[in-house]
Amino acid sequence: MASSSSTEAETTTERRGIPGAQFVEDVETYLTQSGLDVNSSLSFLQERLQQYKLVEMKLLAQHRDLQAKIPDIEKCLDVVAILLAKKGTGEPLIADFEVSEGIYSQARIEDAGSVCLWLGANVMLEYSCEEATALLQKNLDNAKASLEVLVADLQFLRDQVTITQVTIARVYNWDVHQKRRMREAVTAEKDS
């Protein structure tokens, strides 16, 4: 039994503030070591499961936001690349742009040496096309790296949810088995 306890301790880890779930090999040892009865243990595990679900919802929202942000950054990079390609050719660029939701206008852009980028919080700054390309590329790289970390966090979280669900089932089944054994023992005493 001591080996299962050391295995349990090794599998409990943390990833970016998300506590790791403990796989319970031996329910009786787990209950003894935690100092909890079955109902308290099940309540704790259910609460932990709900915490995991809440974190999962937050991470999924961040995932959606990043997935929407990456194509926007790529479009901006494409536009700046087109402006750079047209620069110095003397050929104007005709572009449609959104003035307001559903309202578009046409612009004639001649030899643009700079672009304005929204930085957020109602802030817009003017950059040279080269600086804008560098900034947008850096933002794109950061967004992709964040997305990779987020995907790994979601996978870790899903593993913890599965481990917790299995542990809840094991504790519940162990309790049912113990109650059945006690009933059988009482029935056997009455029959004797």
Side-chain angles (χ1 to χ4, degrees):
M1 294 296 165
S3 64
S4 69
S5 297
S6 64
T7 304
E8 289 171 0
E10 290 169 11
T11 59
T12 304
T13 58
E14 182 177 312
R15 178 179 172 87
R16 293 180 13 109
I18 303 169
Q22 179 181 12
F23 178 75
V24 175
E25 187 75 35
D26 180 4
V27 175
E28 191 170 356
T29 303
Y30 165 74
L31 293 173
T32 304
Q33 288 177 350
S34 66
L36 299 173
D37 63 0
V38 171
N39 291 333
S40 298
S41 176
L42 287 172
S43 294
F44 169 76
L45 291 169
Q46 288 289 353
E47 183 179 322
R48 178 60 60 92
L49 187 60
Q50 292 306 315
Q51 290 170 347
Y52 285 145
K53 295 289 187 179
L54 181 64
V55 171
E56 183 179 31
M57 285 182 358
K58 290 179 181 179
L59 290 179
L60 285 171
Q62 290 175 5
H63 188 259
R64 277 190 308 275
D65 291 345
L66 275 174
Q67 283 186 316
K69 184 179 181 181
I70 289 173
D72 288 344
I73 295 171
E74 289 171 339
K75 285 178 192 175
C76 289
L77 270 168
D78 291 343
V79 169
V80 174
I82 290 169
L83 289 173
L84 275 170
K86 295 280 187 177
K87 188 176 179 180
T89 62
E91 182 183 334
L93 175 67
I94 307 298
D96 293 326
F97 66 96
E98 189 171 17
V99 177
S100 182
E101 190 173 330
I103 300 173
Y104 291 86
S105 183
Q106 199 170 65
R108 181 184 172 110
I109 304 168
E110 295 185 22
D111 218 15
S114 64
V115 294
C116 294
L117 298 177
W118 283 105
L119 300 180
N122 292 326
V123 176
M124 179 185 274
L125 285 178
E126 185 175 0
Y127 291 95
S128 70
C129 290
E130 293 79 11
E131 290 173 328
T133 300
L135 178 65
L136 289 168
Q137 189 60 52
K138 180 180 152 213
N139 289 351
L140 181 62
D141 294 343
N142 288 342
K144 286 182 177 180
S146 294
L147 187 62
E148 286 179 20
V149 169
L150 203 54
V151 167
D153 287 349
L154 280 166
Q155 183 57 50
F156 175 79
L157 190 60
R158 287 182 183 123
D159 290 345
Q160 303 323 296
V161 166
T162 302
I163 291 169
T164 303
Q165 289 171 334
V166 168
T167 300
I168 289 170
R170 290 175 64 85
V171 170
Y172 180 79
N173 290 340
W174 179 85
D175 186 43
V176 168
H177 181 70
Q178 293 303 314
K179 287 177 181 176
R180 184 180 302 140
R181 283 180 49 198
M182 288 173 42
R183 272 195 311 268
E184 290 171 356
V186 169
T187 305
E189 282 181 18
K190 287 182 181 177
D191 291 344
S192 302

